[in-house]
Amino acid sequence: MIDDPVLLNDWYIVAAARDLADGAMLSVRLWDEELVIWRDDGQVMAWKDYCIHRGAKLSLGRIADGTVECPYHGWRYNAAGVCTLIPAHPDTQPPAKARAVVYRAVECDGYIWVSLGDPEKEPPRFPEWSDDGYRKVLVGPYNYHGNPFRTVENFLDAAHFPFVHANINGDPDDPEPIGDYEVFSDEDGVRTGPIARFQPFGDHRGIPVTAYYQYNCPRPLSAYFEKDTGEGNRFCTFMAVTPLAEDDCLLWVQIAINYGFDLPEPQILERQDTVYNQDKPIIESQRPHPLPLDLKEELHVRSDKYCVAYRRWLKELGVTWGVSQ
Ligand code: FES
Ligand SMILES: [Fe+2]
């Protein structure tokens, strides 16, 4: 288990809620902890994927009568993680030690979130999730063999658009400068005022737009932007990174759009896949993997103001895993 209370006591996405049916279970991972998640009567459970009897993976078993049945000797664990039946001795009360290792799990805004610690807050919210005026599309997850914080920082960085997303989010032969923008920072995270970006292929409509981005980063590994392209058109993106290792993570992305309802979903997904797969090799190439929080490391220019604020905020929070001091 990682030795970083700030990160440990937070929530991370382990699955899309739609992928976990009632009475089903899934094997997932958070850092190096293998987990089994399952659902019974709508309630979501997340346990260490481990049976205390002989160490078999519970996720290889099955759900039976509202319990998880271990694949090896059929011990059954109820929703509280308590062993209720040892089939070899059906008339004997299982020992008190026969329990699953139970973690916190909750369903929120289309995802299953897990904490391996004791979080004070709820999972971060996607503001447009419950707004019917928006079409929601789940994309990814994308597996980046790169650093989780560098993945978030890439999401917060508007200066890479013309190069990494050439002719989509910017023009590499005529890259638009970044004007001054505001950054706000407090204990609820780091945010920006509007940042203007011209985009030749601004969204799934395939038309040029001037977009005004406003970013928000409420947690070390989750972030959001709203992109205003005029006439009340808003394209919002929620992202959250599930840390697996210092150089391995899953990026979950969900978008909410209040225009272009006639455009087919595959058109939206295709553009998202293109963009996030363009970021992947860049993030995977960044060395060293840990994000440097010492601002004397790497070189910062005016347009990096937001990413610098992100690094400062991580340092203030006391994040130690996945970063260098
Ligand atoms: S290992 Fe799970 S019942 Fe034996
Ligand atoms: Fe990008």
Side-chain angles (χ1 to χ4, degrees), residues 151-212:
T151 300
V152 174
E153 197 180 67
N154 166 271
F155 182 86
L156 305 178
D157 175 316
H160 76 281
F161 292 172
F163 303 97
V164 180
H165 311 300
N167 303 314
I168 298 177
N169 284 342
D171 180 352
D173 297 319
D174 186 16
E176 185 190 24
I178 302 246
D180 277 341
Y181 60 87
E182 288 183 301
V183 171
F184 311 96
S185 182
D186 57 32
E187 74 249 21
D188 292 328
V190 280
R191 299 176 294 286
T192 70
I195 303 174
R197 301 307 280 148
F198 170 75
Q199 306 190 315
F201 182 171
D203 53 44
H204 52 298
R205 293 171 297 177
I207 57 167
V209 296
T210 294
Y212 292 85

Coordinates of all heavy atoms in Angstrom, one line a residue, residues 151-212:
T151 N -0.2 13.1 -16.6 CA -1.4 13.0 -17.4 C -2.4 14.1 -17.1 O -3.0 14.6 -18.0 CB -2.0 11.6 -17.1 OG1 -1.0 10.6 -17.5 CG2 -3.3 11.3 -17.9
V152 N -2.6 14.4 -15.8 CA -3.4 15.5 -15.4 C -2.9 16.8 -15.9 O -3.6 17.6 -16.5 CB -3.6 15.6 -13.9 CG1 -4.5 16.8 -13.5 CG2 -4.3 14.3 -13.4
E153 N -1.6 17.0 -15.8 CA -1.0 18.3 -16.2 C -1.2 18.5 -17.7 O -1.4 19.6 -18.2 CB 0.5 18.3 -15.8 CG 1.0 19.7 -15.9 CD 2.5 19.8 -15.5 OE1 3.3 19.3 -16.3 OE2 2.8 20.4 -14.5
N154 N -1.1 17.4 -18.5 CA -1.3 17.5 -19.9 C -2.7 18.0 -20.2 O -3.0 18.8 -21.1 CB -1.1 16.1 -20.6 CG -1.6 16.0 -22.0 OD1 -2.7 15.7 -22.2 ND2 -0.8 16.4 -22.9
F155 N -3.7 17.5 -19.4 CA -5.1 17.9 -19.6 C -5.3 19.4 -19.3 O -6.2 20.0 -19.9 CB -5.9 17.0 -18.6 CG -7.4 17.3 -18.7 CD1 -8.2 16.6 -19.7 CD2 -8.1 18.1 -17.9 CE1 -9.6 16.8 -19.7 CE2 -9.4 18.3 -17.9 CZ -10.2 17.7 -18.9
L156 N -4.4 19.9 -18.4 CA -4.6 21.3 -18.0 C -3.8 22.3 -18.8 O -3.7 23.5 -18.6 CB -4.1 21.5 -16.5 CG -4.7 20.5 -15.5 CD1 -4.1 20.8 -14.1 CD2 -6.2 20.8 -15.4
D157 N -3.1 21.8 -19.9 CA -2.2 22.5 -20.7 C -2.7 22.9 -22.0 O -2.9 22.0 -22.9 CB -0.9 21.6 -20.8 CG 0.2 22.2 -21.7 OD1 -0.1 22.7 -22.8 OD2 1.4 22.1 -21.3
A158 N -3.0 24.1 -22.3 CA -3.6 24.5 -23.5 C -2.5 24.9 -24.6 O -2.8 25.1 -25.7 CB -4.5 25.8 -23.3
A159 N -1.2 24.9 -24.2 CA -0.2 25.3 -25.1 C 0.3 24.2 -26.1 O 0.9 24.4 -27.1 CB 1.0 25.8 -24.4
H160 N -0.1 22.9 -25.8 CA 0.3 21.8 -26.6 C -0.6 21.5 -27.8 O -0.3 20.8 -28.7 CB 0.5 20.5 -25.8 CG -0.8 19.8 -25.4 ND1 -1.6 20.2 -24.3 CD2 -1.4 18.7 -25.9 CE1 -2.6 19.4 -24.2 NE2 -2.5 18.5 -25.2
F161 N -1.8 22.2 -27.8 CA -2.8 21.9 -28.8 C -2.3 21.9 -30.2 O -2.5 21.0 -31.0 CB -4.0 22.8 -28.7 CG -4.8 22.7 -27.4 CD1 -5.8 23.6 -27.1 CD2 -4.6 21.6 -26.5 CE1 -6.6 23.4 -26.0 CE2 -5.4 21.5 -25.4 CZ -6.4 22.4 -25.1
P162 N -1.6 23.0 -30.7 CA -1.3 23.1 -32.1 C -0.3 22.0 -32.5 O -0.2 21.7 -33.7 CB -0.6 24.4 -32.3 CG -1.0 25.2 -31.0 CD -1.2 24.2 -30.0
F163 N 0.4 21.4 -31.6 CA 1.5 20.5 -31.9 C 1.1 19.0 -31.8 O 1.2 18.2 -32.7 CB 2.8 20.8 -31.1 CG 3.2 22.2 -31.4 CD1 2.8 23.2 -30.5 CD2 3.8 22.6 -32.6 CE1 3.1 24.6 -30.8 CE2 4.1 23.9 -32.8 CZ 3.7 24.9 -32.0
V164 N 0.6 18.7 -30.6 CA 0.2 17.3 -30.3 C -1.1 17.0 -31.1 O -1.3 15.9 -31.6 CB 0.0 17.1 -28.8 CG1 -0.4 15.6 -28.6 CG2 1.3 17.3 -28.1
H165 N -2.0 18.0 -31.2 CA -3.3 17.8 -31.8 C -3.4 18.7 -33.1 O -4.3 19.5 -33.3 CB -4.4 18.2 -30.9 CG -4.3 17.5 -29.5 ND1 -4.2 16.1 -29.4 CD2 -4.2 18.0 -28.3 CE1 -4.1 15.8 -28.1 NE2 -4.0 16.9 -27.4
A166 N -2.3 18.6 -33.9 CA -2.1 19.4 -35.1 C -3.3 19.3 -36.0 O -3.8 18.2 -36.3 CB -0.9 19.0 -35.8
N167 N -3.8 20.5 -36.4 CA -4.9 20.6 -37.4 C -6.3 20.2 -36.8 O -7.3 20.1 -37.5 CB -4.7 19.9 -38.7 CG -3.4 20.5 -39.3 OD1 -3.2 21.7 -39.4 ND2 -2.5 19.6 -39.7
I168 N -6.3 19.8 -35.5 CA -7.5 19.5 -34.8 C -7.8 20.7 -33.8 O -8.7 21.5 -34.0 CB -7.5 18.2 -34.1 CG1 -7.2 17.0 -35.1 CG2 -8.8 17.9 -33.3 CD1 -7.1 15.7 -34.5
N169 N -6.9 20.7 -32.8 CA -7.0 21.7 -31.8 C -6.1 23.0 -32.0 O -6.0 23.8 -31.1 CB -6.7 21.1 -30.4 CG -7.9 20.3 -29.9 OD1 -9.0 20.4 -30.4 ND2 -7.7 19.4 -28.9
G170 N -5.4 23.0 -33.1 CA -4.6 24.2 -33.4 C -3.8 24.0 -34.7 O -3.8 22.9 -35.3
D171 N -3.2 25.0 -35.2 CA -2.5 25.0 -36.4 C -0.9 25.0 -36.2 O -0.4 26.0 -35.7 CB -2.9 26.2 -37.3 CG -2.2 26.3 -38.6 OD1 -1.3 25.5 -38.9 OD2 -2.5 27.2 -39.4
P172 N -0.2 23.9 -36.4 CA 1.2 23.8 -36.1 C 2.0 24.8 -36.9 O 3.1 25.2 -36.5 CB 1.6 22.4 -36.5 CG 0.6 21.9 -37.5 CD -0.7 22.7 -37.1
D173 N 1.5 25.2 -38.1 CA 2.3 26.2 -38.9 C 2.1 27.6 -38.5 O 2.8 28.5 -39.0 CB 2.0 25.9 -40.4 CG 2.5 24.5 -40.8 OD1 3.5 24.1 -40.3 OD2 1.7 23.9 -41.5
D174 N 1.0 27.8 -37.7 CA 0.7 29.2 -37.3 C 0.2 29.1 -35.9 O -1.0 29.4 -35.7 CB -0.3 29.8 -38.3 CG -0.6 31.2 -38.0 OD1 0.2 31.9 -37.3 OD2 -1.7 31.7 -38.4
P175 N 1.0 28.6 -35.0 CA 0.5 28.4 -33.6 C 0.1 29.7 -32.9 O 0.9 30.7 -32.9 CB 1.6 27.7 -32.9 CG 2.8 28.1 -33.7 CD 2.4 28.3 -35.1
E176 N -1.1 29.8 -32.4 CA -1.6 31.0 -31.8 C -0.9 31.1 -30.4 O -0.8 30.2 -29.6 CB -3.1 30.7 -31.6 CG -3.9 31.9 -31.0 CD -5.3 31.4 -30.7 OE1 -5.5 30.3 -30.4 OE2 -6.1 32.3 -30.6
P177 N -0.4 32.4 -30.1 CA 0.2 32.6 -28.8 C -0.9 32.4 -27.7 O -2.1 32.5 -28.0 CB 0.7 34.0 -28.8 CG 0.6 34.5 -30.3 CD -0.4 33.6 -30.9
I178 N -0.4 32.2 -26.5 CA -1.4 32.2 -25.3 C -1.4 33.5 -24.6 O -0.3 34.0 -24.2 CB -0.9 31.1 -24.3 CG1 -0.9 29.7 -25.1 CG2 -1.9 31.1 -23.1 CD1 -1.8 28.7 -24.6
G179 N -2.5 34.1 -24.6 CA -2.6 35.4 -23.9 C -2.6 35.2 -22.4 O -2.7 34.1 -21.9
D180 N -2.6 36.3 -21.7 CA -2.7 36.3 -20.2 C -4.0 35.7 -19.8 O -5.0 35.9 -20.4 CB -2.5 37.7 -19.6 CG -1.1 38.1 -19.5 OD1 -0.2 37.2 -19.6 OD2 -0.8 39.3 -19.4
Y181 N -4.0 34.9 -18.7 CA -5.2 34.4 -18.2 C -5.1 34.3 -16.7 O -4.0 34.4 -16.1 CB -5.5 33.0 -18.8 CG -4.4 31.9 -18.5 CD1 -4.5 31.2 -17.3 CD2 -3.4 31.7 -19.4 CE1 -3.5 30.2 -17.1 CE2 -2.4 30.7 -19.2 CZ -2.5 30.0 -18.0 OH -1.5 29.0 -17.8
E182 N -6.2 34.2 -16.0 CA -6.2 34.2 -14.5 C -6.2 32.8 -14.0 O -6.7 31.9 -14.6 CB -7.5 34.9 -14.0 CG -7.6 36.4 -14.2 CD -8.9 36.9 -13.7 OE1 -10.0 36.5 -14.1 OE2 -8.8 37.8 -12.8
V183 N -5.5 32.7 -12.8 CA -5.5 31.4 -12.1 C -5.9 31.7 -10.7 O -5.5 32.6 -10.1 CB -4.0 30.8 -12.1 CG1 -3.9 29.6 -11.2 CG2 -3.6 30.4 -13.6
F184 N -6.8 30.8 -10.2 CA -7.3 30.9 -8.8 C -6.9 29.6 -8.1 O -7.0 28.5 -8.7 CB -8.8 31.0 -8.8 CG -9.3 32.1 -9.7 CD1 -9.8 31.7 -11.0 CD2 -9.3 33.4 -9.4 CE1 -10.2 32.7 -11.9 CE2 -9.8 34.4 -10.2 CZ -10.2 34.1 -11.5
S185 N -6.5 29.8 -6.9 CA -6.0 28.6 -6.1 C -6.5 28.7 -4.7 O -6.3 29.7 -4.1 CB -4.5 28.6 -6.2 OG -4.0 27.5 -5.6
D186 N -7.1 27.7 -4.2 CA -7.4 27.6 -2.8 C -7.5 26.1 -2.4 O -7.1 25.3 -3.1 CB -8.7 28.4 -2.5 CG -9.9 27.9 -3.3 OD1 -9.9 26.6 -3.6 OD2 -10.8 28.7 -3.6
E187 N -8.1 25.9 -1.2 CA -8.0 24.5 -0.7 C -9.0 23.6 -1.6 O -8.9 22.4 -1.5 CB -8.4 24.4 0.8 CG -9.9 24.5 1.1 CD -10.1 25.8 1.8 OE1 -9.3 26.8 1.8 OE2 -11.2 25.9 2.5
D188 N -9.9 24.2 -2.4 CA -10.7 23.4 -3.2 C -10.1 23.1 -4.6 O -10.8 22.6 -5.5 CB -12.1 24.1 -3.4 CG -12.9 24.1 -2.1 OD1 -12.7 23.2 -1.3 OD2 -13.6 25.1 -1.9
G189 N -8.9 23.5 -4.8 CA -8.2 23.2 -6.0 C -7.7 24.4 -6.8 O -7.6 25.5 -6.2
V190 N -7.4 24.2 -8.0 CA -6.8 25.3 -8.9 C -7.7 25.4 -10.1 O -8.1 24.4 -10.7 CB -5.4 25.0 -9.3 CG1 -4.4 25.4 -8.2 CG2 -5.1 23.6 -9.7
R191 N -8.1 26.7 -10.5 CA -9.0 26.9 -11.6 C -8.4 28.0 -12.4 O -7.5 28.8 -12.0 CB -10.3 27.4 -11.0 CG -11.0 26.4 -10.2 CD -12.3 27.0 -9.6 NE -12.1 28.1 -8.6 CZ -11.7 28.0 -7.4 NH1 -11.3 26.8 -7.0 NH2 -11.5 29.0 -6.6
T192 N -8.9 28.2 -13.6 CA -8.5 29.3 -14.5 C -9.7 30.1 -14.9 O -10.9 29.7 -14.9 CB -7.8 28.9 -15.8 OG1 -8.8 28.3 -16.6 CG2 -6.7 27.9 -15.5
G193 N -9.4 31.4 -15.4 CA -10.4 32.1 -16.1 C -10.3 31.7 -17.5 O -9.6 30.7 -17.9
P194 N -11.1 32.3 -18.5 CA -11.1 31.8 -19.9 C -9.8 31.9 -20.6 O -9.0 32.9 -20.4 CB -12.1 32.8 -20.5 CG -12.9 33.4 -19.4 CD -12.0 33.5 -18.2
I195 N -9.4 30.9 -21.3 CA -8.2 30.9 -22.2 C -8.7 30.7 -23.6 O -9.4 29.7 -23.9 CB -7.3 29.8 -21.8 CG1 -6.9 29.9 -20.3 CG2 -6.0 29.8 -22.6 CD1 -6.1 28.7 -19.7
A196 N -8.4 31.6 -24.5 CA -8.9 31.5 -25.9 C -8.0 30.7 -26.7 O -6.8 30.8 -26.7 CB -9.0 33.0 -26.5
R197 N -8.6 29.8 -27.5 CA -7.9 28.9 -28.4 C -8.6 28.8 -29.7 O -9.8 28.4 -29.7 CB -7.6 27.5 -27.9 CG -6.9 27.4 -26.6 CD -5.6 28.2 -26.6 NE -4.5 27.4 -27.2 CZ -3.5 28.1 -27.8 NH1 -3.5 29.4 -27.9 NH2 -2.5 27.4 -28.3
F198 N -7.9 29.1 -30.8 CA -8.5 28.9 -32.1 C -8.3 27.4 -32.5 O -7.2 26.9 -32.3 CB -7.9 29.8 -33.2 CG -8.3 29.4 -34.6 CD1 -9.6 29.7 -35.0 CD2 -7.5 28.6 -35.4 CE1 -10.0 29.2 -36.3 CE2 -7.9 28.2 -36.7 CZ -9.2 28.5 -37.1
Q199 N -9.4 26.8 -33.0 CA -9.3 25.3 -33.3 C -9.9 25.1 -34.7 O -11.0 25.3 -34.9 CB -10.0 24.5 -32.2 CG -9.5 24.9 -30.8 CD -9.9 24.0 -29.7 OE1 -11.1 23.6 -29.7 NE2 -9.0 23.6 -28.9
P200 N -9.0 24.6 -35.6 CA -9.5 24.3 -37.0 C -10.6 23.2 -37.0 O -11.4 23.3 -37.9 CB -8.2 23.8 -37.7 CG -7.1 24.0 -36.8 CD -7.6 24.3 -35.4
F201 N -10.5 22.3 -36.1 CA -11.5 21.2 -36.1 C -12.0 21.1 -34.6 O -11.6 20.2 -33.9 CB -10.8 19.9 -36.5 CG -11.6 18.7 -36.7 CD1 -11.1 17.5 -37.3 CD2 -12.9 18.6 -36.2 CE1 -11.8 16.4 -37.4 CE2 -13.7 17.4 -36.3 CZ -13.1 16.3 -36.9
G202 N -12.8 22.1 -34.2 CA -13.0 22.3 -32.8 C -13.8 21.3 -32.1 O -13.6 21.1 -30.9
D203 N -14.6 20.5 -32.7 CA -15.4 19.5 -32.1 C -15.9 18.5 -33.1 O -15.6 18.6 -34.3 CB -16.4 20.0 -31.1 CG -17.4 21.0 -31.8 OD1 -17.8 20.7 -32.9 OD2 -17.7 22.0 -31.2
H204 N -16.8 17.7 -32.7 CA -17.4 16.6 -33.6 C -18.1 17.2 -34.8 O -18.4 16.5 -35.7 CB -18.2 15.7 -32.8 CG -19.3 16.3 -32.0 ND1 -19.0 17.2 -31.0 CD2 -20.6 16.3 -32.1 CE1 -20.1 17.7 -30.5 NE2 -21.1 17.1 -31.1
R205 N -18.4 18.5 -34.8 CA -19.1 19.1 -36.0 C -18.1 19.3 -37.1 O -18.5 19.5 -38.3 CB -19.7 20.5 -35.6 CG -20.8 20.4 -34.6 CD -21.3 21.8 -34.2 NE -20.2 22.4 -33.4 CZ -20.2 23.7 -32.9 NH1 -21.3 24.4 -33.1 NH2 -19.2 24.2 -32.3
G206 N -16.8 19.3 -36.8 CA -15.7 19.4 -37.8 C -15.6 20.8 -38.3 O -15.2 21.0 -39.5
I207 N -16.0 21.8 -37.6 CA -15.9 23.2 -38.0 C -14.9 24.0 -37.2 O -14.6 23.6 -36.0 CB -17.3 23.9 -38.0 CG1 -17.8 23.9 -36.5 CG2 -18.2 23.3 -39.0 CD1 -19.0 24.8 -36.3
P208 N -14.3 25.0 -37.8 CA -13.3 25.8 -37.0 C -14.1 26.6 -35.9 O -15.2 27.1 -36.2 CB -12.7 26.8 -38.0 CG -13.3 26.5 -39.3 CD -14.4 25.5 -39.2
V209 N -13.5 26.7 -34.7 CA -14.1 27.5 -33.7 C -13.0 28.3 -32.9 O -11.9 27.9 -32.9 CB -14.9 26.6 -32.6 CG1 -16.0 25.9 -33.2 CG2 -13.9 25.6 -31.9
T210 N -13.5 29.4 -32.3 CA -12.6 30.0 -31.2 C -13.2 29.6 -29.9 O -14.4 29.9 -29.6 CB -12.6 31.5 -31.4 OG1 -11.9 31.8 -32.6 CG2 -11.8 32.1 -30.2
A211 N -12.5 28.8 -29.2 CA -13.0 28.2 -27.9 C -12.4 28.9 -26.7 O -11.2 29.3 -26.7 CB -12.7 26.7 -27.9
Y212 N -13.2 29.1 -25.7 CA -12.8 29.7 -24.5 C -12.8 28.6 -23.4 O -13.9 28.1 -23.0 CB -13.6 30.9 -24.0 CG -13.4 32.0 -25.0 CD1 -14.2 32.1 -26.2 CD2 -12.5 33.0 -24.7 CE1 -13.9 33.2 -27.0 CE2 -12.2 34.1 -25.6 CZ -13.0 34.2 -26.8 OH -12.8 35.2 -27.6

